[in-house]
Amino acid sequence: MKDHSVDHTINLEHEQEQEQDSLHRILVPDVRDLPLTPPSAIESNFVSYFAPDFTKPGHDQYVYRHANGLCVIGLARTHVAFKDTSGITAVDFNVGKSDRSGIKVTGKRKKNAQHFESNSALCKVNTDDASYIVRCCVKGSLLEVNDRLIKQPGLLNSLIEKDTLLLSCQNQQIGSKSRGRYWALKSIRN
């Protein structure tokens, strides 16, 4: 007669070894499966959105959205301003009734933040031949602009989507739920 308890013990040991092997594969990945370069801070911390402008073709923008509701807005590589031979020569945050670069947001509740709709003008980007309006793309509160672009607009020409983020905006809606206040970063890199 065959002893079933021995077979059961052998099966349990075999199952435990398989579980340990699968756990080891999850915790210690195979080096051959890893990417050649690690993901950037933008790729790992933000969800990227492309915001095409259907009313004015070529006026495309991007929005990087963090899980906490922070949105970073900039010009997409396909924007018409980058196709100009001279490139971007000036960035002007003085649009509408106030200068966007002059805002100073303070405190935990982000006092003095300007509230915008998705079609609100944020700044003007100038080339030698034309001027382009940059829109907000999301409904939210403007927390900060990249002041370096006022003095060095050429940064947009050289480092598109890397260090030249136009502004930080607090998105007031995540999905369909309204959320509270969030923090802003001036730029991802310093």
Side-chain angles (χ1 to χ4, degrees):
M1 183 172 221
K2 195 172 183 182
D3 188 10
H4 292 290
S5 63
V6 173
D7 287 342
H8 184 66
T9 307
I10 292 173
N11 285 340
L12 283 176
E13 289 175 2
H14 182 66
E15 286 177 11
Q16 288 175 348
E17 286 176 11
Q18 285 180 341
E19 285 179 16
Q20 287 178 350
D21 286 343
S22 64
L23 183 61
H24 187 300
R25 280 192 299 267
I26 292 171
L27 295 176
V28 184
D30 187 5
V31 176
R32 295 173 294 223
D33 295 337
L34 294 175
L36 295 176
T37 58
S40 68
I42 292 172
E43 292 171 342
S44 58
N45 296 322
F46 289 84
V47 176
S48 301
Y49 294 98
F50 183 74
D53 191 344
F54 295 109
T55 59
K56 294 181 182 178
H59 291 234
D60 304 327
Q61 294 176 231
Y62 66 84
V63 177
Y64 294 144
R65 188 179 154 278
H66 195 273
N68 67 2
L70 173 72
C71 292
V72 181
I73 301 164
L75 298 178
R77 294 176 191 230
T78 58
H79 197 280
V80 178
F82 296 119
K83 295 177 183 169
D84 194 339
T85 56
S86 63
I88 295 172
T89 57
V91 177
D92 184 15
F93 290 102
N94 191 9
V95 291
K97 296 179 182 177
S98 65
D99 186 5
R100 311 283 193 240
S101 63
I103 65 163
K104 298 294 179 222
V105 178
T106 59
K108 184 176 180 180
R109 299 201 185 261
K110 304 301 175 201
K111 187 176 180 181
N112 299 329
Q114 295 178 344
H115 303 287
F116 292 114
E117 295 295 321
S118 61
N119 62 348
S120 299
L122 295 174
C123 67
K124 262 190 286 191
V125 175
N126 300 317
T127 63
D128 283 342
D129 301 332
S131 177
Y132 305 100
I133 301 289
V134 178
R135 303 279 174 198
C136 191
C137 299
V138 293
K139 182 179 179 181
S141 301
L142 179 64
L143 300 180
E144 221 170 343
V145 299
N146 191 347
D147 292 332
R148 292 187 307 162
L149 294 177
I150 297 170
K151 295 177 184 170
Q152 300 172 335
L155 289 173
L156 281 172
N157 298 322
S158 60
L159 300 172
I160 301 171
E161 295 186 354
K162 298 287 187 225
D163 194 27
T164 54
L165 306 172
L166 288 174
L167 51 96
S168 299
C169 184
Q170 163 192 328
N171 189 358
Q172 292 180 337
Q173 290 185 341
I174 301 174
S176 61
K177 295 181 179 179
S178 180
R179 298 278 177 131
R181 306 276 179 179
Y182 300 101
W183 317 124
L185 304 172
K186 185 168 186 179
S187 64
I188 295 171
R189 294 185 188 176
N190 287 328

